[in-house]
Amino acid sequence: MSTHAPPPADPVKLRVTHFAAMKREARRIAVATAYDAITAAWCERAGIDLILVGDSLGNTALGYETTIPVRLEAMLHHAAAVARAARRAFLVGDMPFMTCRVSTEQTLVNCARMIQEGGMEAVKLEGGSEVAPMVERLVAAGIPVMGHIGLLPQSVHQRGGYRVQGRDQQTARQLRDSARDLELAGAFSIVLEGIPAPLAAEITRSIQIPTIGIGAGPDCDGQVLVLSDLLGMIDGPRPKFVKSYATLHDQAAAALAAYADDVRAGRFPTAEHSYGAEP
Ligand code: KIV
């Protein structure tokens, strides 16, 4: 079994202040999700700026249909694995369904666990103006917060599916207000998911903190994709907003089939892969 190579010496560690500077200087922020030490090491080697341990691990790594069944304990387990392999990237842990909705006290306790046990440097909360007071409390407690508005996967049942948001005047206004309220509450950045490109551009221009788009057009301050989408790790169609950079599913399946053939035909292992009696 291979173990992780030591990370490069002294990479410049990214922090919230870097993202504010990147927005000011119009430098785009590259964000990807990772769920374990292997995928975090890939992101590190690629120079990804911010690693999100997304609750999308529910419908990718864990095989659920939605993110709703993902528990805080599962997020902490995966977040800690990512944290062990990360060095330069800023680390954000997604707060799963209902972990920030029951009470302020419970929210503070849950987010503190994401930082202390999960090894994350910030948390991400789904929700707009209605979660702004919670964001304010977290920031006051010293926990950096990334907002997330637009298409909210944790609201899939309430909204009747995964639908682009902000196409009518009322929801567009709500999204503008939410972005402003989250900025005022102290969020350091906001994910804009599944909203029309012109609205995302307008929101991006209207706030001082960086927006990170996913299915929100080309004018956000940064972009995020779910790792398994961008690397083609899962067989099947990909959403319109995904650009496919690899088809790892095909490569992995072909490699495993070749391995199985070799084992069955007696071509592996050979002497080359065997230990002799002498040391
Ligand atoms: O869970 C996740 O991966 C996310 C991103 C899609 C933004 O929330």
Side-chain angles (χ1 to χ4, degrees):
M1 187 178 16
S2 316
T3 54
H4 294 283
D10 296 334
V12 176
K13 172 71 191 155
L14 293 185
R15 306 196 181 276
V16 279
T17 44
H18 287 98
F19 300 114
M22 287 171 89
K23 167 122 186 174
R24 282 197 304 276
E25 295 158 15
R27 284 186 287 133
R28 296 278 173 97
I29 303 165
V31 181
T33 66
Y35 309 121
D36 55 25
I38 294 176
T39 50
W42 292 351
C43 290
E44 279 289 323
R45 187 160 161 196
I48 293 295
D49 300 313
L50 186 153
I51 296 177
L52 171 66
V53 183
D55 65 353
S56 54
L57 68 84
N59 33 14
T60 58
L62 301 184
Y64 294 122
E65 291 234 328
T66 70
T67 59
I68 309 273
V70 178
R71 308 292 296 264
L72 179 60
E73 298 302 329
M75 289 301 300
L76 296 176
H77 181 72
H78 285 268
V82 167
R84 284 192 283 274
R87 293 293 177 275
R88 172 184 173 274
F90 189 69
L91 302 177
V92 179
D94 218 355
M95 297 307 296
F97 185 63
M98 289 303 286
T99 51
C100 294
R101 297 283 182 157
V102 175
S103 67
T104 305
E105 286 68 27
Q106 198 59 57
T107 301
L108 287 165
V109 169
N110 289 340
C111 292
R113 290 188 70 192
M114 185 58 86
I115 305 294
Q116 289 188 304
E117 295 173 43
M120 297 289 101
E121 294 155 338
V123 297
K124 176 169 82 58
L125 265 64
E126 287 187 15
S129 301
E130 76 285 3
V131 299
M134 212 61 109
V135 171
E136 202 169 344
R137 289 294 303 270
L138 287 163
V139 174
I143 298 180
V145 178
M146 176 179 248
H148 182 162
I149 61 175
L151 188 160
L152 303 180
Q154 291 172 16
S155 303
V156 58
H157 298 320
Q158 192 185 39
R159 290 182 177 176
Y162 298 107
R163 296 177 201 286
V164 173
Q165 301 291 307
R167 280 186 160 149
D168 60 85
Q169 284 192 5
Q170 191 195 345
T171 55
R173 192 176 52 246
Q174 281 166 358
L175 288 171
R176 284 188 211 101
D177 291 349
S178 289
R180 185 207 52 215
D181 290 348
L182 290 170
E183 178 178 32
L184 287 174
F188 78 92
S189 171
I190 306 177
V191 169
L192 305 182
E193 177 165 2
I195 70 176
L199 178 61
E202 185 194 333
I203 291 174
T204 299
R205 282 193 304 272
S206 74
I207 57 177
Q208 304 303 309
I209 55 174
T211 59
I212 307 295
I214 174 165
D219 296 316
C220 296
D221 300 304
Q223 289 295 311
V224 57
L225 279 180
V226 169
L227 195 78
S228 52
D229 285 342
L230 83 94
L231 294 182
M233 295 164 83
I234 300 173
D235 204 11
R238 295 176 213 189
K240 174 180 165 66
F241 60 81
V242 171
K243 181 170 175 185
S244 174
Y245 289 87
T247 48
L248 292 195
H249 173 84
D250 290 343
Q251 288 168 268
L256 286 165
Y259 161 72
D261 279 355
D262 278 359
V263 169
R264 290 179 189 127
R267 289 188 297 264
F268 176 82
T270 61
E272 187 194 345
H273 309 104
S274 305
Y275 298 106
E278 300 301 318

